[in-house]
Amino acid sequence: MPSHALKRPVLLVLCACVLVAQSMVAAINLLIPELAASSLHPSHSEILWTVDAYVIAFAALLIPAGALGDLPHARLRSRGGTPIGRKGALLAGLALFAAGAATSALAPDPAVLIAGRGLSGAGAALITPATMSILVHLAAPERRARALASWTLALGLGGAAGNLGGGLVGQFLSWRALFAAMVPLAALLALAVALVTPRTERSAHSSLDPLGTALLTAGLVAVLFGIIEGTTYGWTSAPILGSFAAGAVLTALFTAHALRSPRPLFDPRVFASARLRSASLGTAAGFFGLFSLFFVNSQYLQGVKGYDAAVTGVAIMPLTIGMALVPRLAARWAGRPRAVVGAGLALIGLGLLGASTVDAATPYWTYACWLLVISAGTGLSMPALTLGVVSSLPPHQAGLGSGLGTTARETGAALGVAVTGTILSAHGDLGSGMGPALRTVALLVLAATALVVAGHGDRTPTRTIASDPERVLSRSTGA
């Protein structure tokens, strides 16, 4: 199948897959009150793990899942001899996602519910990089920026769709209905993928690297555990400090292994590219701000404004407007990524500063205006940042690039929730803590913006910095 074979039905199916996978990150948050009062009688810790298991499995497995989709087809075959590759990885991800959702829907106790969430997260980790990798290989170079803008839009809309869906389910249905609905939806998406998505050309370079995969995955799990559970145990507690220490040691071991291995999961020297570093930081900073907002949004609208769950889900929908409209403009300015990224991230920071001024007396429409500013910034910056990560790696590592970028997103999201939760816990209530929390997050986003702009050049030529039969690396020379 030639690289210019990206058809609209294929693009729509790929975007639908990533939207559904991302939506389950946020959807559970609005169901926490109903889940806490359910017949499962989960403890506070079990509720937290119901929320976090999906995120930890999703983020920790993204990089090896991306490399799995990039593997040469001849090396990875199903029992029947059919090559798996990127399309097979996507179908396997949808199957895991559905299996996890079914497990959660039928869970007789909290432990099974948490296991189902983790299984769905593993499926999402296969879905997300596979969709981008297929898209990059099918889109012609002149259409790639626009196609990636659509993919990034789906990713952003997933968070808003999760809030809306979770709110509606929480208002009118049982919490089990949310998970049950994901099973036929995933099956329908799998059928669409099987019918309309072509297999992409084989890669001769990628490797799964079992030892490297184990080291990196364990290191990411340790770091994410520390970030997510820091507010529960205390940032200076032994479990959290031990978790961060273990993550640092495991990541260092992965780096040493990858530098010596003839076929590593990925070569750490790719981060010699200033463009890759700045695009990853910018991606993390954008989702750091966005998920800080998601964390306080439902609490503000329900606890302070007095909205019910369904209205709360609808009230955040202004976030979808900028995400839907602005990426088309951003794609036209793809040749000036520094200006686009800088302006977009600055809008996110300024929107958060504006949102930090609201209180119980603030009209909803004022709050909605700040949501629009944040939405416009997200829609402006994220396509360029996504392209920045992908264009910093060779084409045969598109799945790995998606894994790196989405890991940055999920890590930024986890940090946003952790920082916001820590600041809120230091205040007596949401009314007194929301302003300081969002102002702190906004200032951190604006500080990161300066670093991103400094490292994100406006040109993206690449040159090979290492090449042999087993390894090909490219490095940006425009930053």
Side-chain angles (χ1 to χ4, degrees):
M1 183 67 65
S3 63
H4 58 273
L6 181 63
K7 302 289 193 293
R8 182 175 294 275
V10 178
L11 179 61
L12 291 175
V13 168
L14 296 178
C15 288
C17 289
V18 76
L19 186 153
V20 170
Q22 186 67 30
S23 71
M24 290 302 285
V25 175
I28 192 67
N29 290 311
L30 290 175
L31 295 178
I32 289 175
E34 183 184 354
L35 184 61
S38 70
S39 59
L40 297 186
H41 303 297
S43 66
H44 177 69
S45 176
E46 288 168 336
I47 290 175
L48 289 177
W49 275 104
T50 300
V51 175
D52 297 341
Y54 187 91
V55 177
I56 290 177
F58 187 13
L61 295 172
L62 275 163
I63 295 175
L68 177 65
D70 287 337
L71 279 174
H73 293 185
R75 296 183 185 179
L76 189 66
R77 293 180 178 270
S78 65
R79 290 182 179 178
T82 303
I84 296 180
R86 300 180 181 97
K87 180 176 179 178
L90 176 54
L91 290 170
L94 288 167
L96 277 177
F97 182 85
T103 301
S104 296
L106 300 173
D109 56 58
V112 176
L113 174 61
I114 292 167
R117 287 281 288 167
L119 188 59
S120 286
L126 281 166
I127 292 168
T128 303
T131 53
M132 180 192 278
S133 186
I134 293 170
L135 184 152
V136 167
H137 279 80
L138 294 181
E142 65 275 9
R143 293 188 58 199
R144 196 162 291 157
R146 187 175 293 276
L148 285 175
S150 298
W151 186 91
T152 307
L153 167 63
L155 198 70
L157 291 180
N163 276 276
L164 177 60
L168 292 173
V169 169
Q171 184 72 26
F172 301 111
L173 300 170
S174 162
W175 62 268
R176 294 182 187 272
L178 174 68
F179 300 110
M182 293 299 108
V183 178
L185 179 57
L188 182 62
L189 289 172
L191 177 62
V193 168
L195 292 177
V196 307
T197 304
R199 294 192 181 275
T200 54
E201 62 185 9
R202 297 183 180 186
S203 168
H205 303 285
S206 299
S207 172
L208 189 57
D209 181 16
L211 178 58
T213 297
L215 289 171
L216 183 60
T217 300
L220 286 172
V221 167
V223 171
L224 286 164
F225 175 86
I227 292 172
I228 291 171
E229 298 295 329
T231 54
T232 301
Y233 290 93
W235 293 102
T236 59
S237 65
I240 300 306
L241 293 178
S243 180
F244 285 134
V249 170
L250 289 165
T251 302
L253 290 174
F254 165 78
T255 302
H257 164 76
L259 290 173
R260 294 195 307 267
S261 173
R263 295 190 63 83
L265 179 67
F266 75 94
D267 195 309
R269 288 179 293 174
V270 297
F271 285 104
S273 166
R275 184 176 181 82
L276 179 59
R277 293 196 306 271
S278 65
S280 298
L281 174 61
T283 300
F287 273 69
F288 174 77
L290 197 60
F291 272 75
S292 296
L293 176 70
F294 284 160
F295 184 74
V296 301
N297 174 71
S298 61
Q299 298 180 67
Y300 170 70
L301 292 174
Q302 289 182 286
V304 177
K305 300 295 287 182
Y307 298 168
D308 60 31
V311 174
T312 297
V314 173
I316 201 175
M317 294 310 288
L319 271 175
T320 66
I321 297 175
M323 293 180 189
L325 299 180
V326 176
R328 291 183 174 273
L329 297 176
R332 297 179 184 177
W333 302 327
R336 303 186 64 186
R338 177 178 288 170
V340 171
V341 166
L345 291 177
L347 284 175
I348 294 174
L350 293 173
L352 289 168
L353 281 177
S356 72
T357 65
V358 304
D359 56 28
T362 303
Y364 166 73
W365 295 111
T366 300
Y367 181 65
C369 286
W370 294 122
L371 296 185
L372 287 171
V373 172
I374 296 169
S375 173
T378 304
L380 188 63
S381 60
M382 287 303 154
L385 289 167
T386 301
L387 184 60
V389 172
V390 173
S391 64
S392 298
L393 294 170
H396 70 267
Q397 290 185 318
L400 173 61
S402 174
L404 289 171
T406 310
T407 298
R409 288 185 184 93
E410 298 306 317
T411 303
L415 276 171
V417 172
V419 169
T420 305
T422 299
I423 297 173
L424 287 178
S425 66
H427 292 77
D429 53 37
L430 180 71
S432 62
M434 179 174 169
L438 289 182
R439 279 192 293 274
T440 301
V441 169
L443 292 175
L444 289 172
V445 170
L446 292 173
T449 300
L451 296 175
V452 171
V453 169
H456 207 92
D458 274 344
R459 293 175 177 244
T460 59
T462 59
R463 61 184 177 86
T464 301
I465 62 174
S467 179
D468 58 43
E470 303 294 333
R471 183 179 303 183
V472 175
L473 299 174
S474 292
R475 169 178 186 173
S476 172
T477 59

